Amino acid sequence: MALKAVPVLEIPTLDQVQQVHSFSLSLSSHTPKPARFAVIGHRGNGMNSLSSAIMRENSILSFNSVASLPISYIEFDVQVTRDGVPIIFHDDFILTGNLDAVYERRVTDLSLEEFLSYGAQRDPKAIRSGKPLLRRSAEGRVFDWVVEADDPLCTLEEAFLKVDPLLGFNIELKFDDNLEYAEKDLLNTVENVFRLVSTNAGARPVIFSTFQPDAARIIRRVQRDYPVFFLTDGGLKIHGDERRNSLEEAVKLCVENGLEGIVSEVRAVLRNPAEVVRIKEANLRLLTYGGLNNTAEVVYMQHMMGIDGVIVDRVKEMSEAVLGFSGAEGREARPNFSEGQLSYLRKLVAELVQQ
């Protein structure tokens, strides 16, 4: 499905956009309300890039490193091992070896013991060091997965026990886009994760999200204690499942299944700003993710459009920027962007709708 180009004049500027008040991300009475505009740390303190990585993404170290920042949640990826343990890891496959001989395993085919044998080890006195971690880029290039500050791979239970209890969890349930899943397999994964969450969450704010439409439906069917968000790239890529190919389909899925909201790639929203109104009219909440969320001007524009929050990699910079224009107690303050910054933003949005 091709994206409909929106004339540049239809894109709201910072002077034209009308503010829509955001909803709270909370659902149940035992879940504290976050700030009215949520900043969410992507895989903790940001995803590891090809060029550099300060600390291991999706690790206890990364999670706790942002706990003192003015953010609402951290987002991380959860899969379930062969022996039924929810673990935190983004990629579908885990790689080891060296650049001449690469060995890869599907993460969900590993036992917990096998999974934890990769990378840095908990016991520094262990006789055996962990298997070196490699990673494959989207283009297929394999590289050494090296970080400045390493930390062991971890389980979801460890995160509940070791991460600051005031920090909310956005738990993304990961499924391979290239596989078809039977209902019973999706249900088994969801039940394993929810069982652990319900036992360990306590008063910690928790929301669930997933790109898998049927998994989102099942998460809502299994529990009503925590909000469920449907992840979508909003048509930037075409999938075999039509429900994943537009914001319109995402709204339909959420309404039909009683989900709380949508997490969209930010470019899809900027290309189709009218969808924000439709999403709000459907009484849904809207978060965004993507590289553009690491630009303060783009984040501010979304705040003014009524979007409820952003998932970011530059967690410290973006959380401080949001605090600057929303205030510690929710008081609005217009940021002092330079004319050059505003010009950049308008040019950026104009380019997006032409792509």
Side-chain angles (χ1 to χ4, degrees), residues 35-37 70 300 303 319-335:
R36 62 189 302 273
F37 184 80
Y300 179 66
H303 171 71
S319 62
E320 290 176 350
V322 169
L323 188 63
F325 61 68
S326 65
E329 298 178 0
R331 294 187 298 271
E332 297 299 321
R334 195 175 185 82

Side-chain angles (χ1 to χ4, degrees), residues 21-28 31-38 73 207 227 229 260 280 284-287 308:
H21 290 291
S22 301
F23 292 97
S24 162
L25 294 183
S26 298
L27 179 66
S28 58
T31 306
K33 292 184 179 180
R36 62 189 302 273
F37 184 80
Y73 289 81
I207 62 177
F229 282 68
E260 278 67 44
K280 295 294 183 176
L284 298 172
R285 285 160 274 186
L286 177 61
L287 307 173
D308 296 291

Side-chain angles (χ1 to χ4, degrees), residues 8-55:
V8 173
L9 292 178
E10 292 185 18
I11 299 294
T13 68
L14 293 178
D15 295 320
Q16 296 170 332
V17 70
Q18 185 175 13
Q19 183 175 350
V20 180
H21 290 291
S22 301
F23 292 97
S24 162
L25 294 183
S26 298
L27 179 66
S28 58
S29 59
H30 69 267
T31 306
K33 292 184 179 180
R36 62 189 302 273
F37 184 80
V39 176
I40 301 171
H42 189 207
R43 306 182 199 172
N45 202 9
M47 63 181 283
N48 294 165
S49 67
L50 294 181
S51 57
S52 65
I54 297 175
M55 63 185 64

Side-chain angles (χ1 to χ4, degrees), residues 152-221:
L153 303 181
C154 66
T155 67
L156 179 57
E157 183 176 24
E158 283 181 283
F160 275 112
L161 295 175
K162 297 179 180 180
V163 175
D164 189 314
L166 297 180
L167 192 58
F169 285 177
N170 173 2
I171 299 173
E172 179 189 340
L173 268 65
K174 291 285 295 183
F175 298 94
D176 190 336
D177 286 346
N178 298 310
L179 296 181
E180 292 188 9
Y181 292 88
E183 181 94 357
K184 64 179 180 61
D185 295 326
L186 293 174
L187 178 60
N188 183 59
T189 295
V190 169
E191 288 182 335
N192 270 306
V193 174
F194 178 64
R195 189 180 304 116
L196 190 144
V197 171
S198 62
T199 302
N200 292 276
R204 186 191 299 273
V206 172
I207 62 177
F208 288 103
S209 62
T210 184
F211 281 100
Q212 222 289 346
D214 291 313
R217 169 179 56 80
I218 292 170
I219 298 169
R220 168 49 68 240
R221 189 181 79 199

